[in-house]
Amino acid sequence: MSFRFFTLFIITIIAFMNSNVHANAIRFVAEDLPPYHYLNAHGQPDGVLVDIAKALKAHSGLEAKFDILPMARAHYELQTKSDVVMLAWLKTPSRALNYQFLGSMCQSSASLIGLKTNSASLESLEQAKKYRVSTIRGYYSEYYLKEAGFSEEHDLVLASHYKSMWHMLYRGRTDFILTNTRTLQRELDELGLDPALLENKLTLHDFPSELHLAANLQFSKAQAKKLRESLAAIKTSGRYDEIVRKWQLLD
């Protein structure tokens, strides 16, 4: 075998191995939602669930990259790409039929939040139809409210991002917002808004609470199995709890 032929042979093998690694690589995607997942001051993906995903990458041996995207783009990638895993997606009965849910990353309750200066007292979601209720367009909460009879023509005001949603509430452009309470403090701190002006008007006990690692049905079953097993393993080992404590969050 000539030296030139041997060199070409080695280059071909390396290229084949690299192409296999690339083909087996996955992409973790998420929206900008601190402290779960966001771009830090250095422009790098960061957050408690990013750290958990890095632990999954290390345990599973899978090659992976991380992208923080607008929610609509992240959802599109999840729907259309066979290598994409959403870091945290609300598990609902309809979604469970069309996507692979790989394990619970965290839980969060949902509530209608309003200003204390709003004297309205709510005992049911039905009573909130007398007022303007907001959530983020494209979230499951939009579907939830529309299923409950809310509409953009009457009592539903949709925002494109949590920043604009909070500003609408504080400026009196909406009466209540449907949101989870775990990110509330950090979101308000970022916006310079006073959380002491708010109160929980109604906890929605029937709203799904588990945020899961999720992929579409075309995602590799073998890789899905590795991620499920790795998530279970880091929870059993205590690594999951260690990461959550680092971020001063309670699961």
Side-chain angles (χ1 to χ4, degrees):
M1 181 183 295
S2 69
F3 177 77
R4 181 181 178 185
F5 179 82
F6 177 76
T7 301
L8 289 173
F9 175 76
I10 294 298
I11 291 173
T12 301
I13 292 296
I14 291 173
F16 175 76
M17 292 173 64
N18 285 340
S19 68
N20 273 351
V21 167
H22 180 73
N24 291 326
I26 63 175
R27 293 172 56 219
F28 288 111
V29 303
E31 64 174 319
D32 172 34
L33 187 64
Y36 292 121
H37 24 69
Y38 62 97
L39 291 177
N40 62 24
H42 304 289
Q44 298 299 315
D46 207 347
V48 58
L49 298 190
V50 172
D51 279 358
I52 289 171
K54 287 178 179 177
L56 295 179
K57 174 184 175 182
H59 186 276
S60 67
L62 294 172
E63 291 294 322
K65 62 176 291 189
F66 300 82
D67 287 324
I68 303 300
L69 305 169
M71 183 56 185
R73 175 67 185 280
H75 187 205
Y76 176 79
E77 296 287 294
L78 174 66
Q79 287 179 304
T80 61
K81 305 294 177 61
S82 62
D83 63 341
V84 165
V85 178
M86 184 84 86
L87 278 184
W89 210 37
L90 200 65
K91 186 175 183 180
T92 68
S94 60
R95 288 177 180 176
L97 299 175
N98 300 301
Y99 293 88
Q100 300 183 67
F101 285 87
L102 311 179
S104 176
M105 294 287 272
C106 60
Q107 294 191 357
S108 183
S109 62
S111 298
L112 290 184
I113 305 294
L115 294 172
K116 289 180 178 178
T117 53
N118 181 348
S119 61
S121 177
L122 299 179
E123 295 183 3
S124 69
L125 186 59
E126 186 67 23
Q127 290 179 343
K129 291 180 182 177
K130 301 175 186 176
Y131 307 93
R132 295 163 299 177
V133 177
S134 292
T135 192
I136 298 177
R137 188 180 299 278
Y139 276 27
Y140 175 77
S141 49
E142 176 189 354
Y143 169 82
Y144 174 89
L145 289 171
K146 287 181 175 178
E147 281 291 292
F150 289 79
S151 71
E152 292 179 72
E153 291 75 23
H154 298 98
D155 41 27
L156 179 61
V157 183
L158 297 175
S160 60
H161 194 272
Y162 70 84
K163 294 179 181 180
S164 57
M165 182 177 68
W166 284 117
H167 281 304
M168 283 196 301
L169 181 66
Y170 276 75
R171 292 170 182 169
R173 292 167 52 199
T174 192
D175 299 304
F176 308 113
I177 64 172
L178 196 172
T179 187
N180 77 77
T181 55
R182 293 189 64 175
T183 60
L184 186 151
Q185 183 67 52
R186 290 177 187 248
E187 289 174 6
L188 296 179
D189 286 348
E190 179 185 350
L191 297 172
L193 299 173
D194 185 1
L197 300 179
L198 300 177
E199 63 183 5
N200 185 341
K201 297 291 188 176
L202 180 69
T203 299
L204 301 171
H205 296 290
D206 64 333
F207 196 93
S209 62
E210 288 194 346
L211 294 164
H212 278 241
L213 206 61
N216 68 31
L217 296 179
Q218 285 69 52
F219 185 77
S220 163
K221 298 299 186 289
Q223 291 175 327
K225 183 173 184 289
K226 284 185 177 182
L227 289 173
R228 284 193 187 95
E229 291 174 346
S230 292
L231 184 54
I234 67 169
K235 287 182 176 180
T236 299
S237 70
R239 178 61 180 143
Y240 176 96
D241 290 335
E242 179 185 327
I243 294 169
V244 170
R245 285 194 300 272
K246 167 194 164 185
W247 286 90
Q248 299 180 335
L249 295 174
L250 296 175
D251 188 49

